[in-house]
Amino acid sequence: MSSQPESAAERRDAVRERHRETASEVLPEHTGLYVGGEFVDSAAGETFDTVDPTTGEVLASAARGREADVDRAVEAAWRAFDEEWSGYGAGRRQRALTAIADTIEAHTEELARLESLDNGKPVSEATIDVRGAAEQFRYFAGLVRGNDGETMAEGSRYGQVIKEPYGVVGQVVPWNFPLLMASWKLAPALAAGNCTVLKPAEQTPLSALRLAELLTENDLLPDGVVNVVTGYGEEAGAPLTGHPDVRKVAFTGSTAVGKEVMKAAAENVTDVTLELGGKSPVVVFPDVEVEKAVRLVSSAIFYNTGECCEAGSRLFVHDDVADEVLAGLQAAIDGMTLGDPLDEETDLGPKVSREQVDRTMEYLDLAREEGGQFLAGGDRPDDEALADGCYVEPTLVEGLDHDSRAVQEEIFGPVLSVFRWDDYDEMMTLVNDVDYGLAGGVVTNDATKAQRAARDIQAGYVWINSYHDLVPGLPFGGYKQSGIGRELSEETLAHYQQTKTINQSLR
Ligand code: NDP
């Protein structure tokens, strides 16, 4: 057996050492803006630091892009579109996307470790993200063919409905699934024939930069088809989403910023799709096998440390099984390992940043003031070995009024609010009494009840007896304030295309 360091200080040092060593192995060589196939400094020469949320140490400094840099990137994207990419037929685009998928897959371990360093997610979950990213490119490579449009031959009229790319699209992604969200955006945009400017989140720019390096190193796309402008939301994201030469905007992030993005896009009547926040319910019926229900509910909220837009953050558990399910959840939480995300055994890593810890802690304070009783967690972990990191305990809170802010607003942390029910209609009224409508879960062995509940939940995606498994081919996106448009599907490809009708008289 390997000898484990004993004291908290020794364990902290060991984690720091491991992270420095891993950083030396996996950090991208280039951290400039990726414009026209080259890594360049920002026009103002400014940079910003990206911090390891496990150790608090700076991982790298990336270029701090602003409006002038966005302009450069948009120009480079149009050049690539006009001079090369628009001439790529479906077959060449398909081969390019497949090659990107192969390359990502070949670098799975490296990308997963990089993502784990920059975001704090357990490396086991980061590995799932990287595989999912490769899968996106493969899926949209498959859709490229057969996307040929329609015809109408009627009397003396010949009508054609063809799909054309927008040209240049602007894409803004968040920090919770940095590479995966980048792939959700890039793959359909490229498949549809567009060039793109991508802005990663300031907290997690590194995996997008490494992907850009891989594109260049392996000559996977013509220069300028993909551009990456790192920087802050207001300085780089806003000019991109309001850019007059960007013909389509796609955004994933908070509902508050989504509204700003929509306003910015409105200036130029730019088409926009938004994948925003959630406050998703999980409904547990009385017939469930408790152990299975506990596993599912626990993963619904605690996966990725609760930093999931679709996180099942409101539990509605039937009275008959509530005590057992809650006891099971408490035991599951007791058994969770909070720790170094690079460790395969870790269940919960740190949150992405101090700011996100503060935000979660504010909600926990609020929940306390609003009368919540903590059945588990409710604080930062009391472990000196974790003191450098952005950790928050997995938390179970009961007794909150459904109208309270801690229940209505997106916490985006490992915090589950519990409600017991015995009247289906009353329960379903509460389930739908939020501004969000991204996802939901139903846990029951009764197929009829499951169907009814799935239909009654006002959300764009409902799982029955599972959670989080998002499969290309099944559209994902929100009702209400959770967004506009769908990802992961043929519908997504359509979001990146405009329709042209050609109506020809044969007379
Ligand atoms: P944001 O919505 O601010 O971040 C998402 C992306 O938008 C980032 O790339 C960000 O850039 C960018 N951005 C910020 N402001 C603008 C703007 N005015 N125009 C264009 N782009 C912009 O999320 P936060 O990081 O601020 O997190 C706040 C909360 O949002 C979280 O606590 C969580 O509740 C929610 N959230 C939801 C996500 C989801 O998947 N639904 C994902 C992330 C957060 P930058 O980071 O550089 O500022």
Side-chain angles (χ1 to χ4, degrees):
M1 254 181 74
S2 62
S3 61
Q4 291 286 323
E6 290 301 328
S7 74
E10 280 174 320
R11 282 193 284 146
R12 258 164 97 171
D13 287 346
V15 170
R16 274 194 210 131
E17 198 42 51
R18 184 184 199 179
H19 279 234
R20 284 179 198 147
E21 201 180 309
T22 305
S24 72
E25 289 164 9
V26 302
L27 284 190
E29 193 183 323
H30 302 94
T31 51
L33 309 170
Y34 183 61
V35 177
E38 289 178 356
F39 288 91
V40 296
D41 290 338
S42 68
E46 296 168 300
T47 60
F48 67 99
D49 291 339
T50 179
V51 172
D52 181 336
T54 309
T55 63
E57 293 185 350
V58 172
L59 282 168
S61 297
R64 180 169 168 181
R66 291 177 185 266
E67 191 168 354
D69 303 299
V70 170
D71 288 345
R72 258 200 300 176
V74 171
E75 271 170 38
W78 271 114
R79 221 174 11 256
F81 182 78
D82 290 335
E83 292 174 8
E84 211 160 351
W85 192 239
S86 58
Y88 265 51
R92 283 179 91 185
R93 292 205 306 280
Q94 186 176 48
R95 280 196 295 282
L97 287 164
T98 304
I100 297 172
D102 290 344
T103 304
I104 292 174
E105 231 162 53
H107 291 264
T108 300
E109 198 205 329
E110 168 206 333
L111 286 165
R113 287 158 81 213
L114 177 63
E115 198 79 308
S116 184
L117 279 184
D118 205 14
N119 166 280
K121 65 175 66 206
V123 70
S124 54
E125 295 181 5
T127 304
I128 296 171
D129 287 8
V130 179
R131 290 192 183 127
E135 194 61 17
Q136 277 302 296
F137 285 97
R138 237 179 257 303
Y139 171 71
F140 283 102
L143 285 189
V144 168
R145 298 280 177 107
N147 185 234
D148 300 328
E150 294 158 22
T151 57
M152 180 205 276
E154 191 193 62
S156 59
R157 187 177 315 287
Y158 180 54
Q160 293 160 274
V161 182
I162 60 172
K163 300 289 181 185
E164 294 188 327
Y166 279 99
V168 171
V169 303
Q171 306 183 305
V172 177
V173 291
W175 41 260
N176 52 342
F177 293 93
L179 183 68
L180 188 64
M181 289 303 104
S183 74
W184 281 27
K185 296 284 180 275
L186 296 176
L190 299 177
N194 299 285
C195 295
T196 174
V197 178
L198 176 84
K199 198 208 80 70
E202 75 200 47
Q203 298 85 348
T204 54
L206 297 178
S207 53
L209 291 171
R210 181 63 190 131
L211 177 62
E213 280 184 350
L214 290 172
L215 296 179
T216 289
E217 283 167 14
N218 297 282
D219 206 10
L220 297 176
L221 291 171
D223 291 344
V225 172
V226 168
N227 303 273
V228 180
V229 176
T230 48
Y232 296 126
E234 282 175 11
E235 295 173 359
L240 179 61
T241 54
H243 201 290
D245 296 332
V246 164
R247 300 282 155 78
K248 192 246 153 47
V249 164
F251 170 82
T252 297
S254 62
T255 294
V257 174
K259 290 178 184 176
E260 293 304 313
V261 166
M262 208 168 166
K263 281 183 209 158
E267 276 300 307
N268 306 299
V269 197
T270 307
D271 185 67
V272 61
T273 43
L274 305 169
E275 201 259 277
L276 307 176
K279 198 72 198 187
S280 300
V282 179
V283 177
V284 175
F285 280 83
D287 65 273
V288 294
E289 293 146 51
V290 169
E291 209 178 301
K292 201 165 142 192
V294 166
R295 249 198 331 271
L296 198 148
V297 171
S298 173
S299 138
I301 182 62
F302 299 127
Y303 189 77
N304 207 43
T305 321
E307 293 174 339
C308 299
C309 49
E310 79 279 10
S313 51
R314 293 179 297 137
L315 170 64
F316 294 87
V317 57
H318 193 275
D319 271 343
D320 289 356
V321 286
D323 286 342
E324 274 181 280
V325 168
L326 294 181
L329 281 169
Q330 284 169 316
I333 288 172
D334 278 349
M336 282 178 189
T337 306
L338 270 69
D340 179 5
L342 289 176
D343 192 331
E344 290 282 351
E345 301 303 310
T346 292
D347 297 306
L348 258 76
K351 289 182 62 68
V352 75
S353 64
R354 290 274 159 209
E355 198 186 351
Q356 282 298 315
V357 173
D358 294 345
R359 196 181 144 102
T360 302
M361 294 311 294
E362 278 169 29
Y363 277 109
L364 293 180
D365 290 344
L366 201 60
R368 217 167 262 118
E369 285 163 24
E370 286 172 330
Q373 295 130 39
F374 289 89
L375 308 181
D379 212 335
R380 306 201 56 199
D382 182 23
D383 178 352
E384 263 300 295
L386 302 181
D388 290 332
C390 299
Y391 293 90
V392 174
E393 291 177 330
T395 296
L396 211 53
V397 56
E398 197 178 6
L400 285 169
D401 202 71
H402 196 270
D403 287 337
S404 67
R405 280 186 54 202
V407 174
Q408 292 288 320
E409 296 175 15
E410 187 176 44
I411 299 178
F412 226 61
V415 182
L416 179 63
S417 295
V418 180
F419 301 90
R420 299 170 190 242
W421 65 276
D422 63 359
D423 181 286
Y424 178 85
D425 292 329
E426 281 173 18
M427 175 272 292
M428 198 47 78
T429 300
L430 289 185
V431 159
N432 290 325
D433 188 21
V434 286
D435 289 335
Y436 296 109
L438 187 56
V442 180
V443 193
T444 176
N445 291 318
D446 184 322
T448 308
K449 285 183 178 148
Q451 271 298 322
R452 182 180 168 201
R455 290 187 190 200
D456 286 343
I457 293 174
Q458 293 164 2
Y461 204 107
V462 181
W463 281 279
I464 297 174
N465 296 331
S466 84
Y467 213 88
H468 289 309
D469 55 330
L470 291 163
V471 189
L474 293 178
F476 178 72
Y479 282 13
K480 302 198 271 185
Q481 293 196 23
S482 288
I484 299 174
R486 293 293 177 270
E487 312 225 45
L488 299 177
S489 64
E490 285 191 59
E491 217 175 316
T492 320
L493 198 63
H495 292 320
Y496 285 98
Q497 294 171 319
Q498 41 197 350
T499 301
K500 176 175 282 174
T501 301
I502 303 173
N503 183 340
Q504 181 181 4
S505 166
L506 300 181
R507 284 222 174 97

Short mmCIF file of all heavy atoms in Angstrom, two decimals, residues 409-445:
data_model
loop_
_atom_site.label_atom_id
_atom_site.label_comp_id
_atom_site.label_asym_id
_atom_site.label_seq_id
_atom_site.Cartn_x
_atom_site.Cartn_y
_atom_site.Cartn_z
N GLU A 409 -34.90 30.27 -6.82
CA GLU A 409 -33.76 30.74 -7.63
C GLU A 409 -32.72 29.64 -7.82
O GLU A 409 -32.57 28.76 -6.98
CB GLU A 409 -33.14 31.97 -6.95
CG GLU A 409 -34.13 33.13 -6.91
CD GLU A 409 -33.61 34.35 -6.15
OE1 GLU A 409 -32.40 34.44 -5.89
OE2 GLU A 409 -34.46 35.22 -5.82
N GLU A 410 -31.97 29.76 -8.90
CA GLU A 410 -30.96 28.75 -9.21
C GLU A 410 -29.74 28.94 -8.29
O GLU A 410 -29.10 29.99 -8.31
CB GLU A 410 -30.53 28.90 -10.68
CG GLU A 410 -29.62 27.79 -11.14
CD GLU A 410 -29.28 27.90 -12.63
OE1 GLU A 410 -28.98 29.01 -13.11
OE2 GLU A 410 -29.30 26.86 -13.30
N ILE A 411 -29.45 27.94 -7.47
CA ILE A 411 -28.30 28.04 -6.56
C ILE A 411 -27.02 27.57 -7.28
O ILE A 411 -25.95 28.10 -7.09
CB ILE A 411 -28.54 27.22 -5.27
CG1 ILE A 411 -29.77 27.77 -4.53
CG2 ILE A 411 -27.30 27.22 -4.38
CD1 ILE A 411 -30.15 27.02 -3.27
N PHE A 412 -27.16 26.56 -8.11
CA PHE A 412 -26.03 26.05 -8.88
C PHE A 412 -24.94 25.49 -7.98
O PHE A 412 -23.74 25.66 -8.22
CB PHE A 412 -25.47 27.15 -9.78
CG PHE A 412 -25.22 26.68 -11.19
CD1 PHE A 412 -26.26 26.22 -11.97
CD2 PHE A 412 -23.94 26.71 -11.75
CE1 PHE A 412 -26.05 25.79 -13.27
CE2 PHE A 412 -23.71 26.28 -13.05
CZ PHE A 412 -24.77 25.84 -13.81
N GLY A 413 -25.39 24.83 -6.93
CA GLY A 413 -24.46 24.18 -6.02
C GLY A 413 -25.09 22.88 -5.53
O GLY A 413 -26.23 22.55 -5.91
N PRO A 414 -24.40 22.16 -4.63
CA PRO A 414 -24.91 20.85 -4.20
C PRO A 414 -25.98 20.97 -3.11
O PRO A 414 -25.79 20.51 -1.98
CB PRO A 414 -23.64 20.17 -3.68
CG PRO A 414 -22.80 21.29 -3.18
CD PRO A 414 -23.09 22.48 -4.05
N VAL A 415 -27.08 21.60 -3.45
CA VAL A 415 -28.11 21.91 -2.46
C VAL A 415 -29.47 21.40 -2.95
O VAL A 415 -29.97 21.87 -3.98
CB VAL A 415 -28.19 23.43 -2.20
CG1 VAL A 415 -29.23 23.73 -1.12
CG2 VAL A 415 -26.83 23.99 -1.82
N LEU A 416 -30.04 20.48 -2.19
CA LEU A 416 -31.34 19.89 -2.57
C LEU A 416 -32.42 20.32 -1.58
O LEU A 416 -32.29 20.11 -0.37
CB LEU A 416 -31.22 18.36 -2.57
CG LEU A 416 -32.48 17.59 -2.91
CD1 LEU A 416 -32.95 17.88 -4.35
CD2 LEU A 416 -32.25 16.07 -2.75
N SER A 417 -33.50 20.91 -2.09
CA SER A 417 -34.66 21.27 -1.25
C SER A 417 -35.68 20.14 -1.33
O SER A 417 -36.01 19.67 -2.42
CB SER A 417 -35.33 22.54 -1.76
OG SER A 417 -34.45 23.61 -1.63
N VAL A 418 -36.19 19.77 -0.15
CA VAL A 418 -37.07 18.61 -0.08
C VAL A 418 -38.50 19.02 0.24
O VAL A 418 -38.73 19.84 1.14
CB VAL A 418 -36.59 17.67 1.04
CG1 VAL A 418 -37.49 16.45 1.15
CG2 VAL A 418 -35.14 17.26 0.81
N PHE A 419 -39.46 18.42 -0.48
CA PHE A 419 -40.89 18.61 -0.20
C PHE A 419 -41.56 17.25 -0.20
O PHE A 419 -41.29 16.42 -1.05
CB PHE A 419 -41.53 19.51 -1.29
CG PHE A 419 -40.87 20.85 -1.37
CD1 PHE A 419 -39.78 21.05 -2.22
CD2 PHE A 419 -41.28 21.90 -0.56
CE1 PHE A 419 -39.13 22.26 -2.26
CE2 PHE A 419 -40.64 23.12 -0.60
CZ PHE A 419 -39.56 23.31 -1.45
N ARG A 420 -42.44 17.05 0.81
CA ARG A 420 -43.19 15.78 0.87
C ARG A 420 -44.57 16.02 0.26
O ARG A 420 -45.09 17.13 0.33
CB ARG A 420 -43.37 15.34 2.33
CG ARG A 420 -42.03 15.08 3.02
CD ARG A 420 -42.25 14.90 4.52
NE ARG A 420 -40.96 14.88 5.20
CZ ARG A 420 -40.49 13.84 5.89
NH1 ARG A 420 -41.23 12.74 6.01
NH2 ARG A 420 -39.32 13.89 6.46
N TRP A 421 -45.14 14.96 -0.33
CA TRP A 421 -46.47 15.13 -0.92
C TRP A 421 -47.33 13.89 -0.70
O TRP A 421 -46.81 12.79 -0.54
CB TRP A 421 -46.37 15.46 -2.41
CG TRP A 421 -45.78 14.39 -3.29
CD1 TRP A 421 -44.47 14.14 -3.52
CD2 TRP A 421 -46.50 13.42 -4.07
NE1 TRP A 421 -44.30 13.11 -4.40
CE2 TRP A 421 -45.54 12.64 -4.76
CE3 TRP A 421 -47.86 13.13 -4.28
CZ2 TRP A 421 -45.88 11.60 -5.62
CZ3 TRP A 421 -48.20 12.10 -5.14
CH2 TRP A 421 -47.22 11.33 -5.80
N ASP A 422 -48.67 14.12 -0.70
CA ASP A 422 -49.57 12.97 -0.80
C ASP A 422 -50.71 13.24 -1.77
O ASP A 422 -51.41 12.32 -2.16
CB ASP A 422 -50.10 12.53 0.59
CG ASP A 422 -50.94 13.60 1.25
OD1 ASP A 422 -51.09 14.69 0.66
OD2 ASP A 422 -51.44 13.34 2.35
N ASP A 423 -50.86 14.49 -2.18
CA ASP A 423 -51.89 14.82 -3.15
C ASP A 423 -51.21 15.19 -4.47
O ASP A 423 -50.46 16.18 -4.55
CB ASP A 423 -52.73 15.99 -2.63
CG ASP A 423 -53.85 16.37 -3.59
OD1 ASP A 423 -53.54 16.98 -4.66
OD2 ASP A 423 -55.00 16.06 -3.30
N TYR A 424 -51.47 14.38 -5.51
CA TYR A 424 -50.75 14.55 -6.78
C TYR A 424 -50.94 15.95 -7.36
O TYR A 424 -49.98 16.60 -7.78
CB TYR A 424 -51.23 13.50 -7.78
CG TYR A 424 -50.58 13.64 -9.14
CD1 TYR A 424 -49.35 13.06 -9.41
CD2 TYR A 424 -51.20 14.39 -10.16
CE1 TYR A 424 -48.74 13.21 -10.66
CE2 TYR A 424 -50.60 14.54 -11.40
CZ TYR A 424 -49.37 13.95 -11.64
OH TYR A 424 -48.76 14.11 -12.88
N ASP A 425 -52.18 16.43 -7.39
CA ASP A 425 -52.44 17.72 -8.05
C ASP A 425 -51.75 18.87 -7.31
O ASP A 425 -51.19 19.78 -7.93
CB ASP A 425 -53.95 17.98 -8.16
CG ASP A 425 -54.60 17.00 -9.13
OD1 ASP A 425 -53.91 16.58 -10.07
OD2 ASP A 425 -55.77 16.64 -8.91
N GLU A 426 -51.83 18.81 -5.96
CA GLU A 426 -51.16 19.88 -5.19
C GLU A 426 -49.65 19.85 -5.45
O GLU A 426 -49.01 20.88 -5.63
CB GLU A 426 -51.41 19.69 -3.68
CG GLU A 426 -52.78 20.17 -3.24
CD GLU A 426 -53.06 19.83 -1.78
OE1 GLU A 426 -52.09 19.52 -1.03
OE2 GLU A 426 -54.25 19.82 -1.41
N MET A 427 -49.11 18.63 -5.45
CA MET A 427 -47.67 18.48 -5.69
C MET A 427 -47.31 19.05 -7.07
O MET A 427 -46.36 19.83 -7.21
CB MET A 427 -47.29 16.99 -5.60
CG MET A 427 -45.87 16.65 -5.92
SD MET A 427 -45.58 16.33 -7.66
CE MET A 427 -46.48 14.79 -7.90
N MET A 428 -48.10 18.69 -8.09
CA MET A 428 -47.75 19.12 -9.45
C MET A 428 -47.88 20.63 -9.61
O MET A 428 -47.15 21.24 -10.39
CB MET A 428 -48.64 18.37 -10.46
CG MET A 428 -48.13 18.38 -11.87
SD MET A 428 -46.37 17.96 -12.12
CE MET A 428 -46.32 16.19 -11.96
N THR A 429 -48.78 21.24 -8.85
CA THR A 429 -48.89 22.71 -8.89
C THR A 429 -47.57 23.32 -8.41
O THR A 429 -47.04 24.26 -9.02
CB THR A 429 -50.06 23.19 -7.99
OG1 THR A 429 -51.25 22.58 -8.50
CG2 THR A 429 -50.22 24.69 -8.02
N LEU A 430 -47.02 22.77 -7.32
CA LEU A 430 -45.73 23.30 -6.83
C LEU A 430 -44.60 23.01 -7.82
O LEU A 430 -43.75 23.87 -8.07
CB LEU A 430 -45.38 22.69 -5.47
CG LEU A 430 -46.22 23.12 -4.26
CD1 LEU A 430 -45.64 22.51 -3.00
CD2 LEU A 430 -46.27 24.64 -4.14
N VAL A 431 -44.61 21.79 -8.34
CA VAL A 431 -43.56 21.41 -9.31
C VAL A 431 -43.43 22.46 -10.41
O VAL A 431 -42.33 22.85 -10.81
CB VAL A 431 -43.89 20.02 -9.91
CG1 VAL A 431 -43.17 19.79 -11.24
CG2 VAL A 431 -43.53 18.91 -8.94
N ASN A 432 -44.59 22.95 -10.87
CA ASN A 432 -44.58 23.89 -12.00
C ASN A 432 -44.56 25.35 -11.57
O ASN A 432 -44.57 26.25 -12.42
CB ASN A 432 -45.78 23.62 -12.91
CG ASN A 432 -45.61 22.30 -13.65
OD1 ASN A 432 -44.49 21.94 -14.02
ND2 ASN A 432 -46.70 21.58 -13.82
N ASP A 433 -44.49 25.57 -10.26
CA ASP A 433 -44.55 26.95 -9.77
C ASP A 433 -43.16 27.57 -9.66
O ASP A 433 -42.72 28.00 -8.59
CB ASP A 433 -45.27 26.95 -8.40
CG ASP A 433 -45.53 28.38 -7.94
OD1 ASP A 433 -45.53 29.28 -8.80
OD2 ASP A 433 -45.70 28.59 -6.72
N VAL A 434 -42.44 27.57 -10.76
CA VAL A 434 -41.13 28.26 -10.86
C VAL A 434 -41.05 28.90 -12.24
O VAL A 434 -41.79 28.53 -13.14
CB VAL A 434 -39.93 27.28 -10.69
CG1 VAL A 434 -39.75 26.85 -9.25
CG2 VAL A 434 -40.08 26.07 -11.59
N ASP A 435 -40.13 29.86 -12.37
CA ASP A 435 -40.00 30.54 -13.67
C ASP A 435 -39.29 29.67 -14.69
O ASP A 435 -39.30 29.95 -15.88
CB ASP A 435 -39.19 31.84 -13.51
CG ASP A 435 -40.00 32.90 -12.76
OD1 ASP A 435 -41.24 32.83 -12.79
OD2 ASP A 435 -39.37 33.79 -12.13
N TYR A 436 -38.59 28.64 -14.20
CA TYR A 436 -37.78 27.81 -15.08
C TYR A 436 -38.58 26.62 -15.61
O TYR A 436 -39.59 26.23 -15.02
CB TYR A 436 -36.57 27.26 -14.33
CG TYR A 436 -35.61 28.34 -13.87
CD1 TYR A 436 -35.48 28.67 -12.52
CD2 TYR A 436 -34.83 29.03 -14.80
CE1 TYR A 436 -34.60 29.65 -12.11
CE2 TYR A 436 -33.94 30.01 -14.39
CZ TYR A 436 -33.83 30.32 -13.05
OH TYR A 436 -32.94 31.28 -12.65
N GLY A 437 -38.05 25.99 -16.66
CA GLY A 437 -38.68 24.77 -17.18
C GLY A 437 -37.69 24.00 -18.03
O GLY A 437 -37.98 23.63 -19.16
N LEU A 438 -36.50 23.76 -17.47
CA LEU A 438 -35.49 23.08 -18.27
C LEU A 438 -35.69 21.56 -18.28
O LEU A 438 -35.74 20.94 -19.32
CB LEU A 438 -34.09 23.43 -17.76
CG LEU A 438 -32.94 22.91 -18.63
CD1 LEU A 438 -33.07 23.41 -20.07
CD2 LEU A 438 -31.59 23.32 -18.06
N ALA A 439 -35.79 20.97 -17.07
CA ALA A 439 -35.81 19.51 -17.01
C ALA A 439 -36.62 19.05 -15.80
O ALA A 439 -37.09 19.86 -14.99
CB ALA A 439 -34.39 18.97 -16.92
N GLY A 440 -36.78 17.74 -15.69
CA GLY A 440 -37.45 17.16 -14.54
C GLY A 440 -37.20 15.66 -14.53
O GLY A 440 -36.74 15.09 -15.52
N GLY A 441 -37.47 15.05 -13.38
CA GLY A 441 -37.30 13.61 -13.26
C GLY A 441 -38.50 12.99 -12.58
O GLY A 441 -39.13 13.61 -11.72
N VAL A 442 -38.84 11.77 -13.01
CA VAL A 442 -39.95 11.04 -12.39
C VAL A 442 -39.40 9.67 -12.01
O VAL A 442 -38.76 9.01 -12.83
CB VAL A 442 -41.11 10.86 -13.39
CG1 VAL A 442 -42.25 10.10 -12.74
CG2 VAL A 442 -41.59 12.21 -13.92
N VAL A 443 -39.65 9.26 -10.75
CA VAL A 443 -39.15 7.96 -10.31
C VAL A 443 -40.33 7.12 -9.86
O VAL A 443 -40.98 7.41 -8.85
CB VAL A 443 -38.15 8.12 -9.13
CG1 VAL A 443 -37.39 6.82 -8.91
CG2 VAL A 443 -37.17 9.26 -9.39
N THR A 444 -40.64 6.10 -10.64
CA THR A 444 -41.74 5.19 -10.31
C THR A 444 -41.64 3.96 -11.20
O THR A 444 -41.08 4.03 -12.30
CB THR A 444 -43.12 5.86 -10.53
OG1 THR A 444 -44.15 4.89 -10.29
CG2 THR A 444 -43.29 6.40 -11.93
N ASN A 445 -42.24 2.86 -10.73
CA ASN A 445 -42.32 1.67 -11.57
C ASN A 445 -43.66 1.58 -12.29
O ASN A 445 -43.90 0.63 -13.03
CB ASN A 445 -42.10 0.41 -10.73
CG ASN A 445 -40.67 0.34 -10.24
OD1 ASN A 445 -39.75 0.63 -11.00
ND2 ASN A 445 -40.49 0.00 -8.97
#
